[in-house]
Amino acid sequence: MDRSRDGIRGGRIRAALRYIRDGGASTDGLPTRVLAEIDDRERRAEQLIGWVQLSVVLFFSTLYAIAPRAEGGSGENFVPITLAAYFAFTLFRLLLSYRITMPGWFLVISIIVDVMLLCGLIFSFHIQYHQSAAFYLKAPTILYFFFFISLRALRFDPRYVLTSGIISAVGWLALVVFAVVYDMGDMHITRNYVEYMTSNSILIGAEIDKIITILGVTGILSLALFRGRQVLFDATQSHAAAEDLKRFFAPDVASSITGSDHRPAAGHGETRDAGILFLDVRSFTKTAETMPPEAVMQVLGHYQDVALGVIQRHGGQIDKYMGDGILATFGAVQPSETYAADAMRAVCETLATLDSEEANFAALGWRGTFSVGGGVACGPVTVGVVGARDRLEFTVIGNAVNLAAKLESANKRQVTRAMVDAASFDLAKAQGFEGFALGKRRGLAVAGLSRPLDVVVLV
């Protein structure tokens, strides 16, 4: 039983040490692109740290240059040398951060250099002012240890805060030990606080308090970063997911989902007047069967890319790609006063642009004429989320959607390329559409509709 308990305890200790070694949250299971973004954020954090350090050293160099000199310091002054060395090293590290991703060992070395320069500066005070070594223990310059520790928090990696804090504590302990074991002269260890404050005596409790404070601040900041690092990973992954979402949805749709005050759920939607455009490639399945799959995908990608550019130029959004079919909306996601006119302009320009790409489609391997048909209808549609539980889809629903698809299909029988119902055409004219009708079909029987419909041929 005791061995079992010891084994469990040992496992927990090893897990805790791994947790500290890895900086908290594990990156196991994160996609490579998310890891790349995290690395980029940390690289930019190192650049920010470099700029902050450079700004600080320039500020204190300027302050040192213009401030009156403290009296009583007739010995060697190491401040200019220390500031110059720190400036040179900081500038080197900043320039390096823009050229490479600095490895962990270099960052540890840079932390050691920072602390050593600070400790060396503090140590020099008793030489400059001809005092015993205990003199430098009262220097307020110790506060800069906290600056170096907190500066590391900008990276959101607790390991470097821990490293900075531990090295700072060790550095100060070394200064204390030197002061204690060095030739004491008139200096001695005291327990009298007044004597400690008014002489070169050493109060061991005060030095322990300083080390405890350094380690305490380090521990608190590290704990915050251990918790915050998981938030960073989650936020980075969520950001990557949101960026991916924008590639699957129109930007306005993605923004409406990610920026919603409520979690998207099936059954939520809004009704708006919108224009609906449906596009479909003629004889796509039959022609695709005679082509290599990779060539089919290249043709499909080029067709969708061309159509997307035209549709977006006219204020439309792609609702979905359905193989070689494209369903686009105008005024559905974002209300528009010219949704009908925009849809008419888009279908006319899309077909004309695709016709001009005939040579490119042939070069990609398409056999024959690349012909696309379109149908447009306008009217009230419901814009929202459909689906169940964890499988949802953002889409538009309404009679205009069904009518646009049926009109596109009717092109085949009528030997036309783009048709719109007469009511939608008149609405588009009222909204500023300047195109003209190639013909009108009154009382046309459209498959799937219960009664004849007046339609206008656009192309």
Side-chain angles (χ1 to χ4, degrees):
M1 179 69 73
D2 290 339
R3 290 183 179 178
S4 176
R5 233 175 246 174
D6 290 342
I8 294 174
R9 190 180 298 112
R12 289 175 178 172
I13 292 173
R14 286 191 296 272
L17 291 176
R18 280 196 302 270
Y19 185 79
I20 294 173
R21 181 199 65 191
D22 296 337
S26 173
T27 58
D28 293 343
L30 290 179
T32 303
R33 56 195 172 83
V34 174
L35 292 176
E37 184 171 347
I38 291 173
D39 289 341
D40 182 64
R41 288 172 182 258
E42 291 187 337
R43 182 179 58 80
R44 283 184 278 131
E46 280 302 324
Q47 294 169 358
L48 175 61
I49 290 171
W51 281 111
V52 172
Q53 287 180 305
L54 188 64
S55 300
V56 169
V57 71
L58 288 175
F59 172 77
F60 281 108
S61 297
T62 303
L63 192 64
Y64 178 80
I66 64 176
R69 296 290 175 269
E71 298 179 359
S74 58
E76 184 70 26
N77 185 0
F78 292 92
V79 174
I81 298 175
T82 304
L83 288 175
Y86 189 59
F87 172 80
F89 183 70
T90 300
L91 185 61
F92 167 73
R93 183 169 50 197
L94 179 60
L95 294 175
L96 193 63
S97 70
Y98 280 92
R99 297 183 63 87
I100 65 170
T101 298
M102 292 188 289
W105 61 265
F106 180 83
L107 296 177
V108 172
I109 290 176
S110 71
I111 292 172
I112 293 174
V113 171
D114 290 342
V115 174
M116 286 181 60
L117 286 172
L118 181 58
C119 288
L121 178 63
I122 294 173
F123 180 84
S124 72
F125 290 159
H126 83 287
I127 299 174
Q128 180 181 353
Y129 292 95
H130 300 292
Q131 298 292 320
S132 60
F135 177 79
Y136 60 64
L137 296 179
K138 298 182 177 66
T141 315
I142 187 178
L143 296 175
Y144 290 105
F145 282 118
F146 299 104
F147 168 77
F148 287 130
I149 295 168
S150 61
L151 189 62
R152 281 288 138 199
L154 292 176
R155 186 183 169 95
F156 253 80
D157 191 330
R159 292 172 294 184
Y160 297 110
V161 173
L162 277 171
T163 301
S164 183
I166 291 172
I167 293 175
S168 296
V170 171
W172 187 256
L173 180 61
L175 290 173
V176 173
V177 170
F178 179 85
V180 170
V181 302
Y182 187 64
D183 183 10
M184 299 289 285
D186 296 332
M187 179 183 63
H188 65 281
I189 297 174
T190 183
R191 297 182 63 184
N192 187 307
Y193 188 74
V194 175
E195 183 182 7
Y196 161 71
M197 293 297 295
T198 57
S199 68
N200 281 340
S201 58
I202 299 176
L203 182 63
I204 298 298
E207 305 312 321
I208 293 176
D209 285 345
K210 293 173 185 176
I211 293 175
I212 290 175
T213 303
I214 290 173
L215 294 176
V217 170
T218 299
I220 293 171
L221 278 177
S222 298
L223 180 60
L225 289 179
F226 274 117
R227 299 182 65 188
R229 193 163 175 80
Q230 182 63 61
V231 176
L232 170 65
F233 288 175
D234 291 343
T236 303
Q237 194 163 15
S238 297
H239 177 263
E243 290 300 310
D244 290 343
L245 190 66
K246 291 179 181 178
R247 300 181 65 188
F248 285 91
F249 296 95
D252 291 337
V253 175
S255 298
S256 69
I257 295 174
T258 58
S260 174
D261 293 332
H262 305 285
R263 187 180 182 184
H268 292 178
E270 298 180 34
T271 299
R272 295 192 180 119
D273 289 331
I276 306 297
L277 166 60
F278 195 90
L279 298 173
D280 188 69
V281 181
R282 293 289 171 263
S283 303
F284 182 84
T285 302
K286 182 178 180 180
T287 306
E289 289 176 349
T290 66
M291 298 169 55
E294 59 273 16
V296 174
M297 295 305 295
Q298 289 178 346
V299 168
L300 194 59
H302 185 61
Y303 150 63
Q304 291 169 342
D305 188 55
V306 171
L308 174 64
V310 177
I311 289 168
Q312 288 184 335
R313 267 201 308 275
H314 292 284
Q317 291 87 28
I318 301 295
D319 181 81
K320 61 174 62 69
Y321 294 105
M322 299 168 288
D324 60 304
I326 296 177
L327 176 61
T329 65
F330 299 80
V333 179
Q334 293 293 334
S336 169
E337 297 296 326
T338 57
Y339 59 88
D342 293 336
M344 305 300 167
R345 296 188 191 102
V347 69
C348 293
E349 185 178 335
T350 298
L351 298 187
T353 304
L354 288 171
D355 287 347
S356 70
E357 293 287 321
E358 187 64 39
N360 290 328
F361 285 115
L364 292 172
W366 186 259
R367 298 170 182 175
T369 302
F370 191 86
S371 179
V372 177
V376 178
C378 301
V381 297
T382 299
V383 186
V385 179
V386 296
R389 295 186 181 179
D390 294 330
R391 181 61 179 90
L392 303 176
E393 182 175 335
F394 192 92
T395 189
V396 291
I397 300 173
N399 291 332
V401 179
N402 298 327
L403 180 56
K406 289 178 172 59
L407 287 174
E408 188 286 318
S409 183
N411 282 307
K412 302 170 187 176
R413 295 184 60 184
Q414 299 299 315
V415 197
T416 57
R417 295 189 60 197
M419 288 197 298
V420 59
D421 63 286
S424 296
F425 182 80
D426 293 339
L427 178 61
K429 282 291 189 180
Q431 292 179 358
F433 177 58
E434 297 178 350
F436 56 89
L438 292 182
K440 293 185 179 181
R441 310 285 169 89
R442 298 188 181 278
L444 180 67
V446 178
L449 297 183
S450 58
R451 55 186 179 181
L453 183 70
D454 293 340
V455 301
V456 174
V457 177
L458 294 174
V459 182

